[in-house]
Amino acid sequence: MADDGCNNRAPQSEADARPAWGAVISMTFGVFGLVGAEFLPASLLTPMAADLRISEGMAGQAVTATAAVALATSLLVTVVTRRIDRRLVLLGLSVLLIFSNLLVAMASNLAMLLAGRVLLGMALGGFWTLSAATMMRLVPEAYVPKALSVMFLGVSAATVFAAPVGSYVGDIVGWRNVFLGAAVLGALALVVQFATLPSLPPRGHSRFGTLFEVLMRPGVGFAMFAILLVFTGHFAFFTYIRPFLETVTGLGVEGFSPSCSASASPPSSATILAPCCWNAPCASR
């Protein structure tokens, strides 16, 4: 079975005596920082591409790199770290989150951008894989659903706020400062985790074959493939929503461009789009 899985509950003395709600909150901060950083390129894609002098399609590979590395990390992390205290692993993943955002903020070319996003993928895949099992060790069994709800509150908040807030703030202070802010949030999460997470020695036996055994169960492999298609379609659309809105619909950060309908030359990503009333005639082109 996978390390720290559902069938390897903590002994009564570890979690059942006193719920570690501070540690639960720290995990919530961690997932908020990770998911927020994951979604930021979707809100900042056009200014990132313009500043790095690459196409928007190439800039979008920042999302691809994160997803691919997160997938590989999620499959390997429990095996690779099976002898390491889970507290140290989670703290290390938060450090990767901070360095990822700093590297992206300082990126001068596509290679640096992708390197930063690779680090984020490692942090994201590892943290997600360990988070649920960690929650089961932080609180008594009766409080596990509540603890998981608190943690997923961070996911929901990041999903709702990361893209629009990142786009708005990026228009004011620049996209690099948005990633610096994300690094600060990651540092805050690291401090809270360092102060609240207890020692969590590894338990159970991890091996690579467990994944394939689970996928071979009736219906599991098909369900996972369907989920893969859903998330692939979601992120393929979501990643390029800003370029589509700016170049096709004329909707930018500040409103509608004077060219409400299609024009011969799409508005530049560096252009600040002026508001345009729906019923007013468009400016001559």
Side-chain angles (χ1 to χ4, degrees):
M1 295 299 293
D3 184 279
D4 296 331
C6 297
N7 293 330
N8 294 313
R9 284 286 301 159
Q12 290 284 339
S13 60
E14 182 176 322
D16 292 354
R18 180 180 300 175
W21 289 114
V24 171
I25 296 299
S26 74
M27 295 288 289
T28 304
F29 283 149
V31 297
F32 178 83
L34 286 164
V35 176
E38 180 187 12
F39 286 164
L40 280 181
S43 63
L44 301 167
L45 197 64
T46 50
M48 289 172 62
D51 190 19
L52 297 175
R53 294 180 175 84
I54 58 178
S55 68
E56 292 159 352
M58 292 299 294
Q61 299 311 305
V63 177
T64 305
T66 300
V69 175
L71 173 62
T73 303
S74 66
L75 300 177
L76 300 174
V77 64
T78 57
V79 177
V80 174
T81 65
R82 62 182 178 270
R83 301 184 184 277
I84 305 176
D85 191 306
R86 290 296 175 253
R87 178 178 186 269
L88 297 179
V89 176
L90 292 170
L91 292 176
L93 294 173
S94 294
V95 171
L96 286 181
L97 168 63
I98 298 171
F99 279 111
S100 164
N101 287 317
L102 290 176
L103 188 57
V104 172
M106 297 183 296
S108 58
N109 51 52
L110 180 61
M112 289 185 64
L113 174 65
L114 294 181
R117 299 297 293 181
V118 164
L119 293 181
L120 178 63
M122 296 171 62
L124 185 67
F127 204 95
W128 268 122
T129 301
L130 300 175
S131 58
T134 300
M135 287 296 181
M136 296 178 184
R137 301 179 63 178
L138 294 177
V139 299
E141 185 174 357
Y143 291 101
V144 168
K146 183 177 181 180
L148 290 174
S149 298
V150 172
M151 185 185 71
F152 282 107
L153 177 65
V155 180
S156 300
T159 303
V160 171
F161 292 109
V165 173
S167 179
Y168 178 77
V169 175
D171 187 59
I172 298 174
V173 301
W175 69 271
R176 295 181 185 275
N177 288 322
V178 174
F179 279 98
L180 287 177
V184 172
L185 289 177
L188 175 62
L190 176 64
V191 171
V192 177
Q193 290 167 10
F194 184 84
T196 60
L197 280 176
S199 177
L200 298 168
R203 297 193 315 271
H205 177 66
S206 300
R207 55 191 180 88
F208 291 108
T210 301
L211 173 66
F212 299 100
E213 292 175 2
V214 172
L215 290 177
M216 292 301 293
R217 295 177 181 176
V220 174
F222 181 78
M224 294 301 296
F225 179 71
I227 293 172
L228 176 65
L229 293 179
V230 170
F231 277 93
T232 300
H234 169 75
F235 279 97
F237 171 78
F238 183 76
T239 301
Y240 297 101
I241 187 66
R242 177 169 177 170
F244 172 80
L245 291 175
E246 289 182 343
T247 59
V248 177
T249 68
L251 177 63
V253 175
E254 297 184 0
F256 289 95
S257 69
S259 300
C260 299
S261 61
S263 61
S265 56
S268 170
S269 59
T271 303
I272 298 179
L273 303 178
C276 177
C277 178
W278 275 106
N279 297 322
C282 296
S284 59
R285 293 179 288 277

